[in-house]
Amino acid sequence: GIQVEQSPPDLILQEGANSTLRCNFSDSVNNLQWFHQNPWGQLINLFYIPSGTKQNGRLSATTVATERYSLLYISSSQTTDSGVYFCAVEGMDSSYKLIFGSGTRLLVRP
Amino acid sequence: EPEVTQTPSHQVTQMGQEVILRCVPISNHLYFYWYRQILGQKVEFLVSFYNNEISEKSEIFDDQFSVERPDGSNFTLKIRSTKLEDSAMYFCASSERAMREKLFFGSGTQLSVL
């Protein structure tokens, strides 16, 4: 099945710093989404981005489907950005399930 | 903003007991899912459900698991005879159409099997 790898596994930032999280996937995908799992465990959908670039406030994401990777940019990080960021993809052989990566654990220090 | 609601938030049970986890998907959504996350690990797909039947299920979703939409609003996951390794956070999710769009997750039910 499709493999999803995220890097880095852990990231520590000072408040106000910028960061880039990467997601590589092993095969063509129909769907790619980025999620933020906050310290309370809740999964928040950040982007649905199978290709192209999107921006939402301080966050933006770019997916280059032909090269099988996606990037999540966080600018001017805040302590509330802390948590785990997951990339999840839907392979071409399925319309009903997302395969998650192992996540990037982000800690933003004040 | 509409949200997916899950109850209970925490469930403690003895090994071998049956548990039912409940979810109320977003009202105009037609596709429903269960995922789980063992502590510290990645989120894993369990099952998808559409038009009152299972669309796809993972290897994890064996005969001990079942899903049901008993009425127009609830979506349930039943584990017939719980095992220690079933301890995990269980997330319900829904989407308006098939997967090729945003998936919205509930806040999860933490299941602890003793």
Side-chain angles (χ1 to χ4, degrees):
Chain A
I2 196 165
Q3 303 296 314
V4 183
E5 294 184 359
Q6 292 186 244
S7 59
D10 297 280
L11 186 58
I12 300 175
L13 299 174
Q14 284 299 124
E15 199 168 26
N18 303 328
S19 63
T20 301
L21 282 56
R22 187 177 180 102
C23 171
N24 292 330
F25 42 96
S26 61
D27 206 346
S28 300
V29 297
N30 281 321
N31 181 347
L32 186 145
Q33 303 188 30
W34 282 96
F35 294 88
H36 175 218
Q37 187 168 38
N38 63 25
W40 296 271
Q42 192 169 9
L43 283 166
I44 308 298
N45 194 309
L46 300 175
F47 293 103
Y48 164 72
I49 186 165
S51 63
T53 297
K54 290 186 178 179
Q55 181 153 7
N56 184 3
R58 294 181 297 103
L59 302 181
S60 64
T62 295
T63 298
V64 183
T66 53
E67 298 186 22
R68 299 181 185 169
Y69 73 88
S70 183
L71 302 174
L72 177 69
Y73 306 96
I74 304 173
S75 64
S76 304
S77 58
Q78 300 176 357
T79 56
T80 52
D81 295 332
S82 296
V84 183
Y85 289 81
F86 288 104
C87 166
V89 304
E90 173 200 349
M92 302 293 283
D93 61 345
S94 169
S95 298
Y96 301 104
K97 69 181 182 187
L98 286 178
I99 305 299
F100 280 72
S102 298
T104 291
R105 185 173 301 275
L106 174 65
L107 175 63
V108 181
R109 290 182 168 155
Chain B
E1 182 174 305
E3 58 182 27
V4 177
T5 305
Q6 289 187 243
T7 54
S9 57
H10 294 84
Q11 175 91 45
V12 180
T13 189
Q14 295 291 323
M15 190 170 56
Q17 294 296 304
E18 175 183 287
V19 295
I20 297 176
L21 309 182
R22 302 181 191 280
C23 169
V24 179
I26 295 173
S27 62
N28 64 330
H29 285 187
L30 301 177
Y31 293 80
F32 314 117
Y33 313 85
W34 285 99
Y35 286 75
R36 79 173 188 187
Q37 185 181 30
I38 295 171
L39 185 64
Q41 298 186 20
K42 65 174 73 174
V43 179
E44 301 174 292
F45 169 80
L46 292 179
V47 66
S48 58
F49 190 87
Y50 169 70
N51 200 26
N52 283 320
E53 61 182 28
I54 290 174
S55 304
E56 190 163 353
K57 60 183 180 180
S58 72
E59 293 176 354
I60 303 168
F61 194 89
D62 61 21
D63 292 344
Q64 293 300 310
F65 291 86
S66 62
V67 289
E68 192 177 33
R69 188 154 164 81
D71 53 41
S73 60
N74 290 286
F75 180 51
T76 62
L77 174 69
K78 181 193 292 185
I79 309 175
R80 289 190 184 83
S81 178
T82 50
K83 305 170 190 157
L84 296 177
E85 54 264 37
D86 293 329
S87 295
M89 178 76 89
Y90 287 81
F91 291 102
C92 174
S94 71
S95 62
E96 187 174 355
R97 293 179 293 272
M99 182 56 74
R100 295 178 182 91
E101 63 165 40
K102 268 192 172 186
L103 194 61
F104 293 90
F105 281 83
S107 53
T109 294
Q110 181 64 56
L111 176 65
S112 298
V113 182
L114 306 179

